[in-house]
Each structure stands twice: as C-alpha cells, then as structure tokens.
Amino acid sequence: MILSNATAIVHDADTESSGDLAVDGALIAAPGARPEGETLDVSGCVITPGLVNAHHHLMQSAFRTLPGTRGVPMAQWLPTMAAAYSRVGITPELMRAAAAVGVAEGLLFGVTTVADHHLSWPAGMPTDDSVELARATAEAARELGGRLAFVRGAARDEPSEAAASAEAIVEALLPGASGGVSDDGMLQLAVGPAGVHSDPRETFELLGEVAARHGLRRRTQANEQVDVAIALEKYGRRPLELLEEWGWLAPDVTLAHLCDVTEDEIARLAAAGITATHAPGCDVPMGWGIAPVAALRDAGITVGLGTSGGGSNDAGHLLADARLAMQVSGLVGEQLPAREVIGMATAGSAAGLGRGELGHLRPGAAADLCVWDVSGVADAGVADPVAGLLWANPGRRPRHVIVAGRVVVRDYELVTGDARTLASNLHRFQEML
C-alpha cells in the first residue's frame, strides 16, 4: 500500500516529511519503496503513528455517566460503580460487548493499541471463569483489528487467587509466547494491582512473580490524591515508598496518574527507570489534580497518555485528552508543546508497554497509522498542521486508520464491524441498571 501526497508525515519526534509513505505488509517500508497494493490518496492530510491508549478500563464503557458518579469523592464513586457491576453481572458476554464498543470507539478516534487495566473480578471466581473474561476481551479486540494489552489487574482480590488467575490467563491466551506478546503483536498480557490504596504487599509480590516467570510488563496506579491519603492513613507512608519496598519501582513498571508527587519522588522515579502514564481526562473531573508532566519529562521519565475508563472519563478519545493535557499543563509547570504531547500519545505510551515497534513510522515499524484530514474549514488558517492536530478542530477524528497494514477505518467509517450493532449489543446491559 502507498499513501500518497500527504501534507505532512510525522515519522517520529525528530523526523517529519511530506509526500508518500509506503506500507509493505504489516510494516512500514523503506523510503522510496513501491510495494504492490492499493494507493490511497491522502492529499490535504497529516499522517501520524497510530495512537496508543496506555490506560483504559474497557468494561467501564458499559457504565458511563451513571447517576451518582459525577463530581463525587472516590469514597462515593467506588460503591456506586460496584453496585452497578453487581446488578448487571460481570460475565464474558458483558466483557465482550463492552470491549467491542471500547475498541471500536478507540479505532474511530485513531487508537490502534489500547491497554485495558481490568480490575473487576467477582470474589471467589474460579480460575477458568476468569480466563473466559480475559478471552472475551481479547477476542473482541482481535475481531475488530485493534491491538490489545490486557492487564490482569486486582482490586482487593485475594492475592493467591489473583496470581493463579494471571498464570492461567497467560497459559490459555499466550501459550509459549515470549515476553507476553503474541507472535503477530496483536495481543499482549501484563499484570497490575489497582494500587497500594486497595491491594496489600502480597498481591504485588505474587503478581510480580507471575510477571517475572513470563516476562510480562507490570502496571499500577499511584499518587492520585486518594491513593496518597489512604496510604498515609493505612501505613503512615506515601505510596511510592511502599512500591519501592515491595519491588515495584523498576524499569518494567508503568505508573498511571502521579498527580501528587514531590520533587524528591520524581527523582526517585527517574532513578528507578519507571515509565508514567498521564490521564488528565480522568484526573481532572475526579478532582485528583494534574500530573506535573513537564517536571517528569525533564527528569528523564518517559510519559505516555491514557484515557482511563468510562466511569471517570466517558470517552475513549485519546486525541481529545492529548489536547486537554496540552492545555492544562501550564497550570502545573511549563506549557507542553503539541508535538511533545502527540509523542506522549504514540511513542511514550508504546515505551510503557515495552513495544519499540509501535508509536513511530520509521522503516520496519509496525504499520499502525492515522490519516487526519486538515483541509476543511475547521483547520483553515492553521499555519502548522501538525500542531493544529491538537490546537484546532476539537473532536477531530481520523479519516483513515490502519493497523498492521490493514485498513480498519476508511472515510471515517469502521470497516471491521458494524458500529450500530456493537452499540445495540451493549445497550441491552444498560437496561439492567
């Protein structure tokens, strides 16, 4: 496939061009290559790497704007969400329907890879049943052509049950795979407790052992204001001190949120080699604050971007959250330039997943990309079309989206599934609320 006549092509943080981009199978071809296949005219468009949503809770796509969840403290939010889960029932059918909607929504908004930190597991659930929940999510993503990083999370789960479930999920979904990633790169597995506010040291240690056995990435949430308050009340210590003691400040760990961090803690994170995920579309409406992204980046910490779930951020529109991240950054430090934030939503997020083939368009990279039409009236007068992706045209959607060399969105329409059917499949669960 050749994408021809682009106004701009963002290859990576250091390289931009214009003209043609060649895709050979599932990979980006070398400059000047003319592989066989379709030629797609992208005149008037900017091409970027596919967006990587580094922190989502896909099941929450079925529980958006629930009464009692907007503008309330975490202590009220949690039981309200839990009650809704209980009424509907966490089943493979719900997981498949919610994941299909979440992945489809992401693709329509340019998200080619999504990390699903799934935290809600019925107490006492047999291990085989937990595998089926994970399988339903993975199958929904694969059918739609999106890449998925499924994180076997935990939130007050019995530690040994969580670890046994994580082990079984790896053995069932990626038998014999190296490093927790399928051979075609479409499925990745990871582990991650919700945070020190909900999970004890034993959960972190046992899930860490599963990760070490299978080469999985580790992910957790840290230093939202509620996380700090609970850790101080429960342990008399701040979350990062606990995570360091429990072996969870390391290069294979990604920490989401980090709204409330001190200068000393930023230095500690940088020394540990962790990556971070910024989630302003969740943190701002939940009242948790704004992560000091410029300070994190200045310390040498790689920062990605995530939307979080439908319980706190009712949209999976990562580019919109990138715009928000750019706009609010000046409230807690230096204003982040648009290109840096686009880099966070692509290469930064991919680095947190340990996926060096994603998030850029250099030769040999995975052919995951978005084509953004900047020729319309909402972009008229924009001097810099790359920066304009964030500054102009709020609610922007990509014209075309390609994952692993396959067109999954063409002319703004999902081609790997029927969006109305996916929405209808999820509506029947809402009727149970």
Side-chain angles (χ1 to χ4, degrees):
M1 175 186 296
I2 297 175
L3 294 90
S4 64
N5 303 314
T7 295
I9 304 169
V10 180
H11 299 273
D12 57 30
D14 301 315
T15 308
E16 295 177 15
S17 68
S18 60
D20 296 354
L21 180 71
V23 172
D24 190 0
L27 303 176
I28 299 298
R34 308 299 292 184
E36 296 182 0
E38 177 182 10
T39 296
L40 196 61
D41 184 6
V42 294
S43 301
C45 297
V46 173
I47 301 174
T48 69
L51 306 181
V52 179
N53 188 341
H55 189 65
H56 203 331
H57 305 291
L58 286 175
M59 192 190 74
Q60 290 181 11
S61 298
F63 302 93
R64 304 196 238 202
T65 68
L66 283 180
T69 63
R70 302 283 75 108
V72 300
M74 192 72 164
Q76 182 177 338
W77 183 89
L78 280 172
T80 303
M81 294 294 291
Y85 301 158
S86 179
R87 287 194 296 271
V88 173
I90 299 174
T91 64
E93 292 75 23
L94 171 67
M95 294 281 282
R96 177 183 291 275
V101 163
V103 171
E105 177 187 26
L107 291 171
L108 287 165
F109 291 145
V111 174
T112 54
T113 301
V114 59
D116 176 25
H117 195 173
H118 184 68
L119 300 173
S120 302
W121 306 85
M125 168 175 277
T127 297
D128 289 347
D129 290 352
S130 72
V131 169
E132 293 311 306
L133 294 183
R135 191 191 307 278
T137 301
E139 289 178 350
R142 182 171 287 278
E143 289 167 5
L144 290 167
R147 297 186 195 268
L148 173 72
F150 184 83
V151 186
R152 201 306 178 184
R156 300 180 179 84
D157 297 15
E158 198 284 320
S160 61
E161 287 183 6
S165 168
E167 187 78 36
I169 288 169
V170 175
E171 292 174 357
L173 271 58
L174 290 180
S178 174
V181 181
S182 63
D183 290 341
D184 62 3
M186 298 302 291
L187 175 63
Q188 180 174 2
L189 297 178
V191 296
V196 302
H197 60 275
S198 68
D199 298 291
R201 177 173 187 156
E202 185 180 6
T203 299
F204 281 87
E205 291 179 342
L206 291 178
L207 287 177
E209 290 172 5
V210 174
R213 278 195 295 274
H214 298 284
L216 309 182
R217 300 286 298 185
R218 295 182 289 165
R219 310 176 71 81
T220 191
Q221 304 171 132
N223 287 58
E224 314 102 309
Q225 290 178 349
V226 65
D227 186 56
V228 174
I230 293 175
L232 287 171
E233 179 182 351
K234 190 174 182 178
Y235 299 100
R237 300 159 76 185
R238 288 174 62 85
L240 296 183
E241 184 179 359
L242 296 168
L243 289 175
E244 184 172 45
E245 183 177 295
W246 298 353
W248 274 69
L249 290 191
D252 66 316
V253 173
T254 299
L255 301 180
H257 301 297
L258 294 177
C259 302
D260 180 9
V261 287
T262 66
E263 291 184 7
D264 288 345
E265 287 174 332
I266 291 173
R268 179 181 296 181
L269 294 172
I274 66 98
T275 51
T277 301
H278 185 33
C282 164
D283 298 336
V284 171
M286 292 295 286
W288 292 340
I290 304 166
V293 175
L296 293 168
R297 288 170 56 87
D298 286 347
I301 297 169
T302 297
V303 182
L305 196 67
T307 60
S308 199
S312 56
N313 178 358
D314 296 308
H317 195 327
L318 191 66
L319 195 76
D321 282 9
R323 187 175 194 268
L324 176 63
M326 178 185 69
Q327 291 178 316
V328 302
S329 61
L331 298 176
V332 292
E334 295 181 6
Q335 176 81 50
L336 295 172
R339 279 175 172 79
E340 288 190 12
V341 182
I342 292 170
M344 288 164 51
T346 53
S349 291
L353 293 172
R355 302 291 296 276
E357 79 278 21
L358 305 179
H360 62 92
L361 297 177
R362 297 189 294 272
D368 295 5
L369 56 93
C370 299
V371 177
W372 311 89
D373 192 333
V374 296
S375 64
V377 67
D379 290 288
V382 171
D384 181 345
V386 174
L389 292 177
L390 296 191
W391 282 113
N393 196 359
R396 183 190 304 275
R397 288 174 50 190
R399 180 176 178 181
H400 310 303
V401 179
I402 295 170
V403 183
R406 176 191 185 192
V407 178
V408 295
V409 173
R410 185 186 294 271
D411 291 322
Y412 304 101
E413 296 293 330
L414 187 69
V415 298
T416 52
D418 183 79
R420 289 185 178 275
T421 299
L422 298 178
S424 178
N425 289 342
L426 192 58
H427 284 158
R428 63 189 178 93
F429 292 98
Q430 293 176 315
E431 295 171 357
M432 303 178 188
L433 292 171

